C-alpha cells in the first residue's frame, strides 16, 4: 500500500522519533535501517504524486515540458452547442456521425406491446399514435437533434393552452399541463409537435429542494425556448422565446448519461478536434492543388541584350505577359529565360488515414461509411456492416428504447391521451437488423427463381420481365397477385387478351391501302 504521508512529515518523524520508541532503537544499525525505510516511503509517495500530477496535466492538455497541447494544436477544450451545430451543418463527416446511427436505428418502427399474444386497447392506441401523429418519424428527428448538443426536446402544444380563438396563451404554456382542460378527444388534443436541439433553449429554470416531492430537484422545471427555426436568420413575429413547462415536453439525451441526471455527453464531443483537423487537411490539399495548378513564372533578362532600366521595356514586357496569362495569346515573346515556379502536391493519405481511424474508434461507425466502399473489399464490408448492426442493436436496447421511445409513449399515457398498458408496463422490441452476404443473396434469388418456375413454364413471357426481376431481387409481386391460384387466373386472362390482340401491321393495313389509292379496309 502506498504511504500517504508527505515528504516533510516523513522526514520529521524519522528525525525525531517518539520517546516510547527511542529505547527500542538504540542500536545504530537498527536506526539506519529505519531511516532507509522512511526514505523509501518518501520516494514512493513522491513518485505516486508525480504520476498523479502528470495524469491530471495530461487531461488538462499540459505536457511535461509545460506546453499546452490544446493551444499548440489549436484545439478547443470545451466546445459549445453552437460550435457543434455549425460543424454538423458544414462538415462532411460531422453530419454522418450524428445522423447515420439515428437513421439506422429508426429504419424500423419499434414494436410496442403490453400483452404479446393478445390484442389490447393499448396496442390499438399506439398504432393510432404512430399513424396519426407519425411519432416514429418525430422520435427519429429528435434523436438527431439531441445528438447535436447534450439533449433534444419534444414540445407538445395541446388544447388546454389555447385561447378561444385558437391562439397560444403564453401564461398557460408556462404552467403544468392540465388534461382536465382538454377540449377534444384523445389524440385530437395534440395541436402541434415541435422539436428543438439544445441551441434553441436560451435558459433553464432548475428545480431546487422545494421541487423534491415532484421528483424535479436538480432537473428542469421550465425551459425558455426560441421557437424560430434553427440556423435561419429570417424570423416571423411568432418566432420568439417562450417559457414552456417541463410537463409539456419530453427531453431526450444525446447519449447514455454519465454523472449528470439531465445532460449527456454530446456525440461530437470526442471527435470535435479531429473533425477540425480534417478540415485543415482538406483545406491544405485544396490550396496545394490550386497553387500547383497555377504555377508562377520567373523571367530573367540579360542586361547585355536589353535595357533593363528602360520603363518602356518593362511596360511592353508586362503587356506581353498579361496577354499570355489572360489567354489572349498562346505564347509571349521575351529575350530572357523563363523558369516555372511552384511545388508538387503532397500525398496526404498518410495524414488522413489516422484521422478517419480516430473517428471510427470514437463513433463506432466503420471507416467504410466515411470513405465509401473500396474496390475488392466486399468481405471486409460485410464484416463492418455486421459489426455496425451490432452497435445499432445495442443502441436500440440501451438508448432509443428506454431514453426516447418509452418517455414519449409514457407521456401520452400519463396525460390520458391513450389507454394505459395492462399492468402499467409495456415492452419495446425491434425487428432484427441483418444484411445478407453475397452468397446468401445469390441462394435466395435462386430459390425465388425456382418458385416462379413452379408456377409458370415461362415466367418471363407470362409475368413480364420487370415483375420477374422485382421478385427475384426484392421478393415483391404485384399486389393483385396474392396466391398461386390468383396468379394462374391472372395469367389466363392475360393470355385471352393476348389471343384477341392484333399486331400493329394488321391495324394499319387499311391506312396503307388508302394511302396507295386502294379501298380502305374496315378494322372490324
Amino acid at each position: 500500500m502506498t504511504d500517504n504521508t508527505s515528504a516533510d512529515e516523513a522526514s520529521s518523524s524519522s528525525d525525531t522519533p517518539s520517546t516510547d520508541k527511542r529505547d527500542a532503537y538504540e542500536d545504530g544499525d537498527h536506526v539506519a535501517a529505519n531511516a532507509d525505510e522512511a526514505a523509501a516511503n518518501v520516494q514512493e509517495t513522491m513518485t505516486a504524486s508525480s504520476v498523479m500530477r502528470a495524469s491530471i496535466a495530461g487531461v488538462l492538455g499540459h505536457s511535461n515540458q509545460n506546453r499546452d497541447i490544446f493551444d499548440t494544436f489549436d484545439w478547443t477544450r470545451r466546445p459549445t452547442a453552437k460550435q457543434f451545430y455549425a460543424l454538423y451543418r458544414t462538415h462532411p463527416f460531422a453530419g454522418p456521425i450524428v445522423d447515420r446511427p439515428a437513421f439506422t436505428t429508426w429504419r424500423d418502427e419499434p414494436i410496442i406491446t403490453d400483452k404479446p399474444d393478445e390484442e389490447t386497447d393499448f396496442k390499438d392506441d399506439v398504432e393510432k399514435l404512430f399513424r396519426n401523429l407519425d411519432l416514429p418519424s418525430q422520435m427519429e428527428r429528435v434523436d438527431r437533434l439531441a445528438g447535436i448538443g447534450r439533449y433534444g426536446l419534444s414540445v407538445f402544444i395541446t388544447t388546454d393552452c389555447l385561447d378561444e380563438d385558437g391562439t397560444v396563451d403564453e401564461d398557460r404554456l408556462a404552467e403544468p399541463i392540465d388534461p382536465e382542460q382538454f377540449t377534444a378527444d384523445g389524440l385530437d388534443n395534440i395541436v402541434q409537435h415541435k422539436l428543438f436541439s439544445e441551441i434553441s433553449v436560451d435558459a433553464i429554470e432548475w428545480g431546487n429542494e422545494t421541487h423534491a416531492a415532484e421528483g424535479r430537484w436538480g432537473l428542469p422545471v421550465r425551459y425558455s425556448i426560441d421557437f424560430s427555426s434553427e440556423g435561419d436568420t429570417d424570423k416571423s413575429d411568432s418566432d420568439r422565446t417562450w417559457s414552456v413547462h417541463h410537463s409539456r415536453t419530453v427531453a431526450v439525451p444525446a447519449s447514455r448519461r454519465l454523472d449528470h441526471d439531465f445532460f449527456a455527453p454530446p456525440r461530437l464531443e470526442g471527435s470535435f478536434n479531429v473533425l477540425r483537423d480534417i478540415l485543415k487537411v482538406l483545406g491544405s490539399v485544396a490550396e496545394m492543388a490550386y497553387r500547383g495548378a497555377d504555377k508562377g513564372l520567373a523571367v530573367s533578362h540579360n542586361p547585355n541584350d536589353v535595357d533593363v532600366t528602360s520603363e518602356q521595356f518593362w511596360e511592353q514586357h508586362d503587356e506581353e505577359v498579361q496577354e499570355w496569362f489572360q489567354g489572349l495569346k498562346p505564347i509571349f515573346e521575351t529575350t530572357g529565360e523563363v523558369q516555372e515556379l511552384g511545388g508538387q502536391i503532397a500525398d496526404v493519405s498518410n495524414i488522413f488515414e489516422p484521422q478517419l481511424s480516430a473517428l471510427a474508434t470514437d463513433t463506432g461507425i466503420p471507416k467504410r461509411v466515411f470513405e465509401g466502399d473500396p474496390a475488392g473489399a466486399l468481405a471486409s464490408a460485410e464484416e463492418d456492416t455486421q459489426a455496425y448492426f451490432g452497435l445499432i442493436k445495442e443502441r436500440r436496447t440501451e438508448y432509443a428504447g428506454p431514453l426516447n421511445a418509452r418517455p414519449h409513449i409514457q407521456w401520452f399515457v400519463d396525460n390520458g391521451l391513450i389507454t394505459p398498458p395492462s399492468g402499467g408496463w409495456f415492452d419495446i422490441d425491434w425487428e432484427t437488423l441483418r444484411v445478407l452476404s453475397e452468397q446468401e443473396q445469390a441462394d435466395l434469388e435462386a430459390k425465388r427463381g425456382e418458385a416462379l418456375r413452379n408456377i409458370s413454364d415461362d415466367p418471363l413471357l407470362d409475368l413480364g420481365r420487370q415483375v420477374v426481376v422485382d421478385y427475384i431481387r426484392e421478393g415483391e409481386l404485384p399486389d393483385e397477385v396474392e396466391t398461386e391460384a390468383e396468379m394462374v387466373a391472372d395469367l389466363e386472362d392475360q393470355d385471352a387478351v393476348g389471343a384477341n390482340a392484333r399486331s400493329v401491321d394488321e391495324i394499319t393495313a387499311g391506312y396503307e391501302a388508302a394511302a396507295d389509292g386502294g379501298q380502305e379496309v374496315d378494322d372490324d
Side-chain angles (χ1 to χ4, degrees):
M1 180 180 294
T2 302
D3 188 353
N4 291 322
T5 307
S6 67
D8 293 338
E9 291 172 343
S11 176
S12 175
S13 62
S14 62
D15 293 341
T16 57
S18 65
T19 304
D20 296 336
K21 293 182 179 180
R22 286 175 182 172
D23 295 340
Y25 293 100
E26 290 179 354
D27 183 74
D29 293 338
H30 203 156
V31 171
N34 186 64
D36 291 341
E37 181 180 358
N41 289 337
V42 171
Q43 181 62 36
E44 182 180 0
T45 301
M46 294 178 63
T47 301
S49 299
S50 299
V51 172
M52 181 178 67
R53 286 195 299 270
S55 176
I56 295 176
V59 172
L60 298 177
H62 294 280
S63 66
N64 293 332
Q65 290 76 30
N66 295 322
R67 185 178 65 164
D68 191 311
I69 296 176
F70 280 82
D71 288 343
T72 301
F73 298 129
D74 189 27
W75 286 349
T76 303
R77 295 178 185 276
R78 297 294 297 272
T80 64
K82 291 184 177 180
Q83 289 176 309
F84 288 134
Y85 184 79
L87 204 65
Y88 168 78
R89 290 292 296 265
T90 60
H91 199 289
F93 294 154
I97 290 176
V98 173
D99 292 343
R100 293 289 176 84
F103 287 152
T104 310
T105 297
W106 298 96
R107 175 185 297 178
D108 307 304
E109 293 183 356
I111 303 170
I112 312 299
T113 57
D114 53 346
K115 291 186 176 180
D117 299 328
E118 300 180 21
E119 292 297 326
T120 63
D121 292 338
F122 171 74
K123 283 185 183 179
D124 294 339
D125 285 353
V126 170
E127 290 181 5
K128 294 177 183 177
L129 176 61
F130 282 12
R131 181 175 63 253
N132 296 349
L133 297 185
D134 197 17
L135 187 61
S137 176
Q138 298 293 81
M139 291 190 291
E140 179 266 315
R141 286 180 57 196
V142 77
D143 186 334
R144 290 187 287 131
L145 288 169
I148 295 174
R150 293 173 293 180
Y151 63 93
L153 277 183
S154 280
V155 177
F156 296 97
I157 310 300
T158 51
T159 56
D160 70 306
C161 64
L162 300 182
D163 291 332
E164 293 181 358
D165 61 354
T167 304
V168 176
D169 186 295
E170 182 175 3
D171 294 334
R172 294 182 190 175
L173 192 64
E175 294 301 319
I177 191 170
D178 187 0
E180 294 184 359
Q181 299 298 320
F182 286 165
T183 60
D185 295 330
L187 296 177
D188 292 336
N189 286 291
I190 305 297
V191 178
Q192 201 167 0
H193 184 187
K194 300 184 73 67
L195 307 173
F196 303 95
S197 75
E198 183 183 357
I199 69 169
S200 290
V201 180
D202 292 344
I204 296 178
E205 178 186 340
W206 295 95
N208 52 33
E209 63 275 11
T210 63
H211 299 90
E214 308 169 25
R216 304 303 298 181
W217 190 3
L219 295 175
V221 175
R222 288 179 183 84
Y223 304 91
S224 294
I225 303 175
D226 185 350
F227 271 60
S228 60
S229 297
E230 298 175 353
D232 293 342
T233 56
D234 297 333
K235 297 185 179 181
S236 64
D237 294 338
S238 62
D239 291 338
R240 60 186 180 87
T241 300
W242 297 73
S243 179
V244 181
H245 194 267
H246 78 87
S247 62
R248 301 181 183 275
T249 71
V250 173
V252 177
S255 56
R256 283 179 276 182
R257 297 184 180 97
L258 292 176
D259 58 327
H260 203 281
D261 291 335
F262 182 73
F263 295 132
R267 294 176 203 171
L268 294 175
E269 185 175 47
S271 304
F272 183 83
N273 289 304
V274 175
L275 291 168
R276 291 187 65 222
D277 288 345
I278 289 176
L279 283 182
K280 297 174 188 176
V281 174
L282 294 177
S284 300
V285 171
E287 186 67 15
M288 285 190 296
Y290 173 78
R291 291 184 177 275
D294 187 27
K295 296 179 180 179
L297 298 177
V299 182
S300 58
H301 296 278
N302 191 334
N304 297 326
D305 297 332
V306 296
D307 184 5
V308 295
T309 62
S310 171
E311 293 183 2
Q312 181 180 1
F313 165 76
W314 287 112
E315 289 177 359
Q316 181 179 358
H317 174 270
D318 290 344
E319 182 179 353
E320 288 281 345
V321 173
Q322 285 298 325
E323 288 181 352
W324 170 81
F325 183 77
Q326 300 295 339
L328 301 178
K329 295 173 61 176
I331 60 174
F332 70 88
E333 300 176 1
T334 179
T335 59
E337 296 182 358
V338 180
Q339 181 180 0
E340 191 179 65
L341 301 178
Q344 296 180 349
I345 301 177
D347 181 10
V348 297
S349 59
N350 292 333
I351 302 174
F352 203 59
E353 187 68 19
Q355 293 172 332
L356 286 181
S357 298
L359 288 185
T361 301
D362 179 63
T363 63
I365 301 176
K367 286 196 298 181
R368 179 178 54 83
V369 176
F370 294 115
E371 61 188 2
D373 291 324
L378 179 61
S380 177
E382 291 174 355
E383 293 176 0
D384 285 346
T385 301
Q386 296 295 352
Y388 178 59
F389 280 176
L391 175 71
I392 297 301
K393 179 181 179 181
E394 179 183 354
R395 190 177 191 273
R396 285 176 166 181
T397 304
E398 303 296 334
Y399 171 76
L403 300 180
N404 191 337
R406 183 172 297 281
H408 273 93
I409 295 174
Q410 191 64 47
W411 185 90
F412 286 90
V413 173
D414 293 341
N415 291 288
L417 296 169
I418 63 175
T419 304
S422 302
W425 182 259
F426 57 90
D427 295 321
I428 303 175
D429 296 315
W430 304 82
E431 295 287 349
T432 302
L433 277 172
R434 189 172 183 272
V435 61
L436 296 178
S437 67
E438 187 179 37
Q439 183 60 48
E440 290 173 332
Q441 183 66 33
D443 293 342
L444 179 60
E445 292 179 358
K447 291 179 180 178
R448 288 173 178 167
E450 183 179 352
L452 287 178
R453 286 189 293 273
N454 291 334
I455 296 173
S456 172
D457 292 335
D458 193 342
L460 288 174
L461 179 61
D462 296 335
L463 296 175
R465 180 180 184 280
Q466 192 59 48
V467 171
V468 172
V469 171
D470 290 343
Y471 176 72
I472 290 179
R473 290 180 178 176
E474 307 295 337
E476 298 177 356
L477 284 171
D479 294 337
E480 62 272 12
V481 181
E482 297 180 357
T483 65
E484 181 175 327
E486 291 179 357
M487 179 181 292
V488 173
D490 289 342
L491 294 179
E492 291 176 350
D493 292 341
Q494 294 173 11
D495 290 341
V497 173
N500 295 326
R502 293 175 297 173
S503 67
V504 175
D505 293 337
E506 181 181 356
I507 293 173
T508 60
Y511 301 103
E512 293 175 357
D516 293 337
Q519 186 175 357
E520 185 174 348
V521 178
D522 187 357
D523 288 341
D524 297 331

